[in-house]
Amino acid sequence: MTGLPDDGASPADCFESARNTVVQHQHDRKCFQCEGDGCRQLAWAIEELGRHPGGRLLLEEFGLPHP
């Protein structure tokens, strides 16, 4: 997994990175950004996916809350 995408990333790249982050956390439950009290990468991914209809469906499929 990569770090948080920068402002120069395309919307499609951001969506794909967010999708990959959520899938990763569903399988392995952690990444290099995970800390004892949460994960900034996962929080960003949930926020990013919540902006898109397909992303919201994915979040619902995994039982994750979304904005």
Side-chain angles (χ1 to χ4, degrees), residues 8-35:
S10 75
D13 289 339
C14 288
F15 182 90
E16 184 65 14
S17 179
R19 187 190 70 77
N20 288 339
T21 296
V22 168
V23 170
Q24 169 76 26
H25 279 80
Q26 290 301 306
H27 294 297
D28 295 336
R29 304 275 183 205
K30 64 181 183 174
C31 73
F32 66 92
Q33 293 283 342
C34 288
E35 297 176 357

Side-chain angles (χ1 to χ4, degrees), residues 18-66:
R19 187 190 70 77
N20 288 339
T21 296
V22 168
V23 170
Q24 169 76 26
H25 279 80
Q26 290 301 306
H27 294 297
D28 295 336
R29 304 275 183 205
K30 64 181 183 174
C31 73
F32 66 92
Q33 293 283 342
C34 288
E35 297 176 357
D37 61 345
C39 178
R40 293 181 324 131
Q41 181 81 10
L42 181 59
W44 167 83
I46 290 171
E47 181 180 325
E48 179 65 28
L49 291 176
R51 296 181 182 137
H52 309 278
R56 289 190 292 273
L57 288 174
L58 181 65
L59 293 172
E60 288 173 12
E61 179 181 324
F62 287 132
L64 295 170
H66 54 81

